[in-house]
Amino acid sequence: MKLIKVLSAASLSIAGVSAGGPSAPPAASTRPQLSITIRDGNFTDFDGLEPTITWENSQQLPNEVDFRYGIDLSARTTNLASLPRRIWGRASRRFAADRYSLSTRLDMDVQRMDRVDFQIDAADEDNDLKLTMFGSAAASLKRFATSPRVSHVEFTKGFDNDGNRITINPRYNVNYDHMDVVMTYDADDTLITVTASKDDQEVTISQQLNDDNMLSPTISRDGSLSLAWDRKLGDHNSVRTTLNPNRSVEVEWKDEAWTANVNFPMEEDSMKGATVHIKRDVRF
């Protein structure tokens, strides 16, 4: 198992221990998750269903390293070789009285085991600074250290201003040679978000109307508009509806353990192409 070796090496590297270190405490309780996706408006039979099961677990490693791992399974296929879709692991650790934190996540597509995707997160709490980096590398211990390729990198710097909060988030996509910056200003019930690149700019103004409702209009440089409405339904339930005129209507409905996402393309009066994604936490 190439990925198991890679995950183990990465985890032990963060932990600063060898494989012969002290034994870890028992893993935390697990909670599988069932997801069902209905694509292209196919509600009539099982051909449109794409059920998946996600299972994850966590464990405390030596030197206060938190280790999480999981697997995504196809719940539809009868081919055992096609059953697992993705396996992943994340190792995290805090340093210097929790001032610094470092986290590394590795993902592998089981149907394409020649590559490992990675995500690295680092933070300095005292300076309100965060770094996130995405990339990939060959799924071989011999080549892993010499073949990593960064595909995306971003920083986030936060400031406090008389009780309000400002963040600046420059981002760079290496694959597309695309750079932009996201700036936010959070003042009580109003959040202003500006996303700008050399080709496009957009502004979102989110206004909290009351305890249960928030409206978020967005306008882009080309004049396109969208409007999102967030409504709390109580008991951690909520609905988010986003109207993209002449394009689509998107609805996300969270109801206890259920989450449903529906996308309706606005093409004449037809629901053709509608996509429904349903997810539920399954407890045993």
Side-chain angles (χ1 to χ4, degrees):
M1 294 294 292
K2 296 179 181 178
L3 182 61
I4 299 300
K5 295 179 181 179
V6 174
L7 291 177
S8 299
S11 301
L12 294 176
S13 176
I14 293 179
V17 298
S18 66
S23 59
S29 59
T30 63
R31 181 182 301 174
Q33 185 181 84
L34 174 65
S35 299
I36 301 175
T37 300
I38 305 173
R39 298 189 182 278
D40 299 327
N42 189 350
F43 302 95
T44 58
D45 54 40
F46 288 103
D47 290 339
L49 297 180
E50 294 186 7
T52 60
I53 295 176
T54 300
W55 174 85
E56 66 178 58
N57 202 359
S58 62
Q59 189 169 359
Q60 186 77 31
L61 297 181
N63 287 357
E64 299 182 346
V65 174
D66 294 322
F67 184 53
R68 301 187 66 85
Y69 50 93
I71 184 170
D72 296 340
L73 303 172
S74 173
R76 181 180 179 185
T77 181
T78 57
N79 183 355
L80 292 180
S82 301
L83 184 63
R85 290 185 173 182
R86 177 172 293 273
I87 50 180
W88 60 271
R90 176 187 287 274
S92 306
R93 186 184 180 188
R94 305 186 72 88
F95 306 87
D98 290 342
R99 173 179 176 178
Y100 303 106
S101 62
L102 177 64
S103 174
T104 301
R105 172 174 171 138
L106 302 179
D107 288 77
M108 175 181 280
D109 184 342
V110 179
Q111 306 304 318
R112 184 185 175 185
M113 301 187 68
D114 60 338
R115 189 185 79 177
V116 175
D117 297 321
F118 64 82
Q119 175 183 344
I120 299 174
D121 296 283
D124 179 351
E125 298 293 340
D126 286 4
N127 290 312
D128 205 346
L129 181 65
K130 296 180 180 179
L131 163 69
T132 299
M133 185 183 304
F134 296 90
S136 61
S140 167
L141 284 178
K142 292 183 179 179
R143 297 178 55 198
F144 184 81
T146 59
S147 66
R149 184 176 185 276
V150 175
S151 60
H152 179 94
V153 61
E154 63 179 79
F155 294 88
T156 303
K157 172 63 178 176
F159 305 90
D160 291 324
N161 179 27
D162 294 332
N164 303 324
R165 180 163 175 79
I166 301 171
T167 64
I168 301 176
N169 174 210
R171 307 180 298 188
Y172 179 58
N173 188 307
V174 180
N175 292 338
Y176 295 96
D177 191 22
H178 179 266
M179 179 179 293
D180 66 3
V181 59
V182 181
M183 296 170 286
T184 67
Y185 180 75
D186 191 352
D188 296 328
D189 294 333
T190 303
L191 173 64
I192 301 174
T193 304
V194 179
T195 304
S197 68
K198 66 177 182 178
D199 300 318
D200 192 19
Q201 298 85 40
E202 69 174 29
V203 178
T204 300
I205 302 176
S206 301
Q207 182 65 47
Q208 192 76 44
L209 303 179
N210 50 44
D211 292 340
D212 298 327
N213 294 276
M214 181 172 67
L215 289 179
S216 304
T218 298
I219 183 170
S220 299
R221 177 185 177 183
D222 60 4
S224 61
L225 298 170
S226 67
L227 178 63
W229 174 28
D230 293 275
R231 178 170 176 77
K232 297 179 181 179
L233 304 178
D235 297 327
H236 305 290
N237 303 328
S238 63
V239 174
R240 179 180 177 87
T241 305
T242 304
L243 171 64
N244 302 292
N246 302 320
R247 289 176 291 167
S248 65
V249 176
E250 302 170 8
V251 179
E252 181 181 70
W253 187 355
K254 295 183 179 180
D255 187 357
E256 295 183 351
W258 288 95
T259 300
N261 294 88
V262 186
N263 181 285
F264 298 100
M266 298 179 68
E267 297 179 1
E268 298 178 352
D269 296 325
S270 173
M271 286 182 57
K272 183 178 180 180
T275 298
V276 179
H277 180 80
I278 304 171
K279 179 174 66 177
R280 176 180 171 82
D281 288 333
V282 183
R283 301 172 186 240
F284 293 94

